[in-house]
Amino acid sequence: MTLNLAERKFVMGGYLDMHKAIRRQLDRIIEQAASVADVEAQAIEQLQSRFGFYWEIVEHHHITEDKGFFPMLAGTDALFAGQLARLTADHEEIDQQVLLITNSLTAARQSKDASLSELYFNQSLAAIRYFRELMLIHLEREEAAVMPAITRHFSEEQQVGMETHVMTNMGVEFVSKMFPWTFEVLDDQERAVAFNHLPEGFRVAYPEWEQAYNRGKLAL
């Protein structure tokens, strides 16, 4: 039986959970940066490590989109294809902002002059806040393009299959970091739903992944 298009739902929960984590983890980074009272090397290094880990996860997500998910969807849906260039440009602009943040934090950490270090740190904070603006605009634009395109062409069963395929092909080393990072900022209900949608092998391994993730946080 063919499902009426109007009855289709977007059920790729992992995609939406990732976007929630991108937003919420970024808010935490900004809170951490804004709370720095004394611009010292250790505080800057902690912030730089946290942002670096954040970007490691997000960049992997963007590369997966740029090299696989977006081209596939553009070849399937003409409306999405017309928006692909804008989404790609968003990623490139975000990449450039990350470079600015990284360079500013490095300069702040390495400077021997306290006033210069504070200047570079304030530049970093402004750059992170602008990065947040860019990211929020991009995520809204992307979701508005992706979700309708997916529901136009893929049944709920197909969507689940697509998401499972993506998860199981990311590599254990990456997902072992990505899922604890994502689940950390989900509420209890969101986390329970997300956990139940993981492949069985991931559910078995998850407690160990979470412990390793928490040990890494304590080391910062």
Side-chain angles (χ1 to χ4, degrees), residues 72-99:
M72 177 279 295
L73 199 52
T76 304
D77 188 85
L79 289 177
F80 180 82
Q83 300 173 77
L84 180 57
R86 178 64 262 180
L87 296 176
T88 301
D90 284 351
H91 283 181
E92 293 171 353
E93 187 175 10
I94 287 168
D95 289 346
Q96 291 302 310
Q97 193 65 18
V98 170
L99 184 61

Side-chain angles (χ1 to χ4, degrees), residues 12-97:
M12 297 176 69
Y15 171 87
L16 295 178
D17 288 338
M18 169 58 78
H19 282 197
K20 290 174 186 174
I22 289 171
R23 291 178 171 102
R24 295 173 188 177
Q25 290 285 10
L26 184 52
D27 285 344
R28 289 186 173 194
I29 288 170
I30 290 176
E31 288 174 6
Q32 178 181 347
S35 70
V36 173
D38 296 318
V39 181
E40 298 177 347
Q42 182 178 5
I44 299 170
E45 185 174 358
Q46 289 174 341
L47 178 63
Q48 193 165 21
S49 294
R50 185 169 187 177
F51 183 79
F53 188 85
Y54 173 92
W55 182 240
E56 177 186 349
I57 301 294
V58 176
E59 184 179 34
H60 189 287
H61 176 69
H62 284 180
I63 290 171
T64 299
E65 291 177 332
D66 289 338
K67 293 189 174 181
F69 185 51
F70 284 176
M72 177 279 295
L73 199 52
T76 304
D77 188 85
L79 289 177
F80 180 82
Q83 300 173 77
L84 180 57
R86 178 64 262 180
L87 296 176
T88 301
D90 284 351
H91 283 181
E92 293 171 353
E93 187 175 10
I94 287 168
D95 289 346
Q96 291 302 310
Q97 193 65 18

Side-chain angles (χ1 to χ4, degrees), residues 69 87 99 108 115 150 172 208:
F69 185 51
L87 296 176
L99 184 61
S115 60
I150 289 290
V172 173
E208 183 178 341

Side-chain angles (χ1 to χ4, degrees), residues 8-16 61 64-65 68-77 80 145-170 175 178-179 197 199 202:
R8 286 184 183 169
K9 296 179 181 179
F10 185 86
V11 296
M12 297 176 69
Y15 171 87
L16 295 178
H61 176 69
T64 299
E65 291 177 332
F69 185 51
F70 284 176
M72 177 279 295
L73 199 52
T76 304
D77 188 85
F80 180 82
V146 166
M147 294 169 65
I150 289 290
T151 56
R152 280 194 291 269
H153 296 279
F154 299 97
S155 68
E156 294 176 26
E157 183 179 0
Q158 288 172 321
Q159 293 176 46
V160 172
M162 289 165 58
E163 193 154 68
T164 299
H165 175 77
V166 171
M167 287 183 193
T168 54
N169 283 275
M170 284 182 175
V175 297
M178 181 193 77
F179 284 117
H197 281 88
F202 287 7

